[in-house]
Structures are given as structure tokens and as C-alpha cells.
Amino acid sequence: MLLVDDDVHVLNTNRAYLEKRGYKAVTAGDGAEALRIASSAALDAIVLDVEMPGLDGVEVCRRIREVSGVPILFLSAYADTDDRIRGLLAGGDDYLAKPYSLQELELRLRGRILRRENAERREVLSFGGLTIDMGLREVRFEERTAAFTALEFDLLAFLARHPGQVFSYEELYDRVWKSPMNQGVHNIQVCMARVRQKLERLCPDGRYIETIHRKGYRFLGE
């Protein structure tokens, strides 16, 4: 998840608490850095301070909402109703006023993450004739289906949920394999080759996955 605040003490305290509870957290000290990270990483949730120099949290949320449905929880030193309404209208999912309980912060984040995961299990992604059914864990093109292994399906589904976004080998290992990339890039290259071969057999005229030289892969949805 991404923690965004211009107060270093708040960032370090939140990160330490959440990491002790098993979350992996990255931090940003301003809105511009938050947008850069959000555009290049798959995130389970974002904890976003409202009052920041430059781009404030409401504007950051509004821009993220143009491309992502990631859960966003606002933090603010003000309990003003208008402030909360601005954040929620910009696309925020929840709101905590400072000072707050770290335990409550974690509980609210956990609830939002679980809610999104449950929704994703019922999700059906469509790209022209190609359909990726998360609930059935099935890949279809028009009336035909292809058999994907669990890992192949997870890799394809992950990329398809973030069309146009480039993911490095390291990010895919972390998000799909759920383990560090300690055996080089060969495993992921082999798995990706199998995914592509099955997609080509299923829909020969489609072009769905692009290799970005020395960076990773992205889903095109063409």
C-alpha cells in the first residue's frame, strides 16, 4: 500500500505499525511523488493526507480516480464536515481525523481491501471478444475457452486489471508469485510465453500483451 503525508513522523509511525501487521508499505512525502508511485505500482490501498503543499490530497485522489479504483482512505488534522465531503466527492472511500488510533486505521484499511478483493472475485473483464472471468477463473474468446494454469491465469488477470500499465519482473513476482524474485527473470518469462501462446491460439488476431524492453510487460487490451 501507499502512505502519503508531508509529516515524516506520521509516515514512519504508520508504516512501522502496518508493516508489523504484515502489510508492505511504500511512502510519499507529497502529491507529485504519490502520483508517480500510483502510476507505476499495483496498490492494495492508499492512505492519503488531505493537507499537503503543492498538490493536496483531494486533487491527488481525483487524478488517481481517473485511472484506478484502489481504496483511498483520507487523513486530516481537521474534522470539518466540508473537508470530509470534498474528499469523498473526489472519490475517497473513507476518512479519519487526526489524531487517530493506529488500530482503527488498520481495521478500516483491512475492511476496504477485503471488500475490493471480494468484488474482484465477481469481476468479469472484457476486451472485444476476449473475456476474463474472475469468478469462474476462465478465459474465453467468443464461444471458445482455453485452459490456463492457476499461475498463468493469475498473471493474465493481474495485467488485465491494469491495462496500459507497465509492470517490472520484480513487481510481478511480488504481486503474483507473492515471493521475492530470487531466481532471475527466467520463471516469469517462461510463464508469460505460455500465456501468450494460449492467447494466440484462442484469438489469433488479438494483441494483448506487450514486452517493454528491460522493463517488463503491459496489457494492451487490443
Side-chain angles (χ1 to χ4, degrees):
M1 74 175 59
L2 172 61
L3 311 178
V4 189
D5 204 299
D6 61 334
D7 187 323
V8 176
H9 175 71
V10 170
L11 277 184
N12 291 339
T13 300
N14 289 348
R15 179 172 60 183
Y17 184 87
L18 292 169
E19 287 183 343
K20 283 183 180 179
R21 279 145 188 81
Y23 298 90
K24 182 178 179 181
V26 293
T27 61
D30 57 54
E33 186 180 7
L35 290 175
R36 180 185 61 78
I37 295 172
S39 69
S40 61
L43 302 167
D44 292 321
I46 298 175
V47 179
L48 184 57
D49 185 33
V50 173
E51 299 296 325
M52 294 186 294
L55 289 175
D56 68 4
V58 174
E59 180 61 23
V60 170
C61 177
R62 188 175 290 114
R63 295 192 190 185
I64 290 174
R65 277 292 171 261
E66 293 175 358
V67 296
S68 174
V70 61
I72 296 176
L73 187 151
F74 278 110
L75 299 179
S76 176
Y78 307 101
D80 187 89
T81 299
D82 290 342
D83 206 30
R84 290 200 300 272
I85 290 173
R86 281 198 316 127
L88 296 174
L89 287 176
D93 297 286
D94 208 344
Y95 193 103
L96 269 179
K98 298 176 181 178
Y100 51 86
S101 159
L102 289 171
Q103 183 179 18
E104 183 179 2
L105 172 64
E106 193 271 332
L107 287 172
R108 291 200 187 197
L109 284 170
R110 189 194 313 167
R112 291 292 173 179
I113 292 169
L114 288 174
R115 188 178 303 177
R116 188 187 191 206
E117 289 176 349
N118 289 334
E120 286 179 346
R121 292 189 187 102
R122 299 187 296 271
E123 189 177 8
V124 177
L125 303 176
S126 296
F127 305 92
L130 179 69
T131 299
I132 303 170
D133 191 316
M134 304 300 178
L136 296 177
R137 294 183 65 82
E138 182 178 79
V139 182
R140 301 186 297 270
F141 185 77
E142 297 176 347
E143 301 302 318
R144 301 189 303 276
T145 63
F148 286 73
T149 67
L151 189 55
E152 291 165 359
F153 181 88
D154 288 344
L155 183 59
L156 174 60
F158 177 80
L159 290 172
R161 281 196 179 110
H162 308 89
Q165 191 167 331
V166 178
F167 290 98
S168 68
Y169 302 112
E170 291 84 357
E171 288 170 329
L172 292 173
Y173 259 91
D174 181 56
R175 302 291 302 196
V176 181
W177 263 258
K178 305 293 185 182
S179 64
M181 193 181 73
N182 55 12
Q183 298 181 14
V185 301
H186 180 69
N187 287 347
I188 203 165
Q189 289 173 330
V190 170
C191 187
M192 187 64 74
R194 292 198 301 263
V195 170
R196 280 176 150 162
Q197 288 168 2
K198 292 179 180 182
L199 285 175
E200 287 171 4
R201 290 196 294 267
L202 186 64
C203 39
D205 296 329
R207 181 169 175 258
Y208 296 102
I209 297 175
E210 180 182 25
T211 300
I212 308 300
H213 184 58
R214 293 185 178 179
K215 291 185 178 180
Y217 302 98
R218 69 178 170 188
F219 188 87
L220 300 175
E222 296 179 0

